[in-house]
């Protein structure tokens, strides 16, 4: 009796689920169709290899559009002339790094006289904001020295020849036009020192000075013999500021008149 009761209960419950499903069959079909439709739509509109990063990037970029403002092209006109390069003056201290040059009986050397004057000129140029290099006689920089001008400073013999062995002289490079530099130096040095121009003792060592052949083309260069170490010794040693001022004035004249 008990088993019959349980069997009948199970059959009644099954029958109730069937009746419930039958009454709600349209809803069940609708839900199934809706889920299938949503799945097909997602699959159809999704990129084949899309990732979350790709989708995020594409969606963010699609939110804004680039804004372009047409700007007509205009030629660039230079209203001011181009500034010249920095001024650079090379001062060859005669015989420096090579030999002593002329030597007096008391041991005074031309190399010392030349260096003293070169240092005074360089100091005055630097005080004016002009770059100055003191170069050795055979300085390795000479071959590539792109200076504004080069002045080689020397002094003449310390031997006594006669009372006419006094004065200064200048020779210019023939490889680069150095006429302006030479003229400025001759005039300014004579005015500062009151020495005479000793043209008849200009030698081949001056006119064909080795630095003229070494310097790059386009660099004006001169060599100056500042005086004789015998009769002009006082001027070249104890009053070295005077020949230094003469050389400085010659350089300033050249710079003021250089195009």
């Amino acid at each position: 009796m008990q088993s019959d009761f349980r069997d009948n209960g199970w059959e009644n419950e099954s029958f109730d689920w069937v009746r419930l499903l039958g009454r709600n069959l349209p809803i069940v079909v609708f839900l199934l169709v809706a889920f299938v439709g949503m799945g097909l739509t997602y699959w159809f509109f999704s990129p084949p290899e899309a990732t979350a990063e790709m989708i995020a990037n594409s969606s963010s970029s699609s939110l804004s559009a680039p804004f372009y403002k047409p700007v007509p092209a205009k030629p660039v006109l230079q209203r001011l002339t181009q500034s010249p390069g920095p001024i650079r003056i090379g001062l060859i201290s005669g015989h420096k790094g090579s030999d002593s040059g002329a030597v007096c009986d008391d041991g005074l050397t031309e190399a010392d006289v030349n260096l003293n004057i070169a240092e005074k000129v360089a100091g005055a140029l630097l005080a004016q904001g002009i770059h100055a290099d003191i170069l050795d006689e055979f300085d390795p920089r000479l071959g590539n020295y792109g200076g504004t001008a080069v002045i080689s400073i020397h002094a003449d013999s310390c031997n006594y020849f006669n009372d006419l062995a006094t004065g200064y002289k200048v020779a210019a490079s023939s490889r680069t036009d150095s006429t302006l530099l030479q003229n400025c130096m001759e005039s300014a040095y004579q005015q500062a020192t009151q020495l005479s121009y000793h043209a008849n003792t200009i030698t081949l060592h001056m006119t064909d000075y080795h630095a003229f052949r070494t310097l790059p083309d386009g660099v004006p260069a001169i060599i100056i013999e500042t005086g004789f170490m015998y009769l002009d010794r006082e001027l070249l040693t104890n009053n070295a500021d005077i020949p230094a001022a003469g050389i400085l004035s010659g350089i300033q004249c050249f710079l003021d008149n250089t195009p």
Side-chain angles (χ1 to χ4, degrees), residues 84-91 125 129-133 135 144-151 176-178 180-181 215-222 251-259:
I87 299 174
R88 191 182 193 95
I89 302 297
L91 301 171
L125 289 171
I130 299 175
H131 187 94
D133 298 304
L135 306 171
N144 296 310
Y145 192 79
T148 308
V150 172
I151 298 91
T176 295
D177 185 10
S178 305
L180 176 61
L181 180 60
L215 287 167
D217 293 339
V219 179
I222 60 169
I251 295 172
Q252 290 171 329
C253 168
F254 170 74
L255 295 178
D256 290 342
N257 291 277
T258 299

Side-chain angles (χ1 to χ4, degrees), residues 156-173:
D156 220 318
S157 174
C158 200
N159 296 326
Y160 176 77
F161 298 103
N162 52 50
D163 290 343
L164 297 178
T166 177
Y168 74 101
K169 47 188 175 283
V170 179
S173 170

Side-chain angles (χ1 to χ4, degrees), residues 25 68 83 101 119 149 250:
L25 182 61
Y68 297 101
S83 300
E119 288 177 342

Side-chain angles (χ1 to χ4, degrees), residues 191-256:
Q191 185 175 358
T193 63
Q194 297 301 306
L195 289 176
S196 60
Y197 191 74
H198 213 271
N200 61 338
T201 57
I202 295 177
T203 64
L204 183 63
H205 290 293
M206 294 184 67
T207 56
D208 192 32
Y209 183 50
H210 70 88
F212 297 161
R213 292 179 267 111
T214 305
L215 287 167
D217 293 339
V219 179
I222 60 169
I223 178 173
I224 179 171
E225 296 274 3
T226 55
F228 285 79
M229 291 173 61
Y230 188 85
L231 292 180
D232 302 322
R233 175 171 176 155
E234 182 71 15
L235 176 70
L236 299 181
T237 55
N238 296 331
N239 296 300
D241 287 339
I242 296 176
I247 294 174
L248 177 64
S249 295
I251 295 172
Q252 290 171 329
C253 168
F254 170 74
L255 295 178
D256 290 342

Side-chain angles (χ1 to χ4, degrees), residues 91-109:
L91 301 171
I92 299 177
S93 180
H95 302 279
K96 181 176 182 293
S98 175
D99 56 81
S100 60
V103 181
C104 298
D105 291 340
D106 61 353
L108 177 67
T109 67

Side-chain angles (χ1 to χ4, degrees), residues 29-77:
V29 173
F30 173 77
L31 292 174
L32 289 175
V33 172
F35 279 116
V36 172
M38 290 174 61
L40 292 174
T41 302
Y42 177 80
W43 173 81
F44 181 79
F45 287 102
S46 296
E49 297 180 0
T51 63
E53 183 179 358
M54 293 171 59
I55 295 173
N57 291 336
S58 63
S59 62
S60 61
S61 62
S62 63
L63 294 178
S64 62
F67 179 76
Y68 297 101
K69 181 179 180 180
V71 179
K74 294 182 179 180
V76 177
L77 300 178

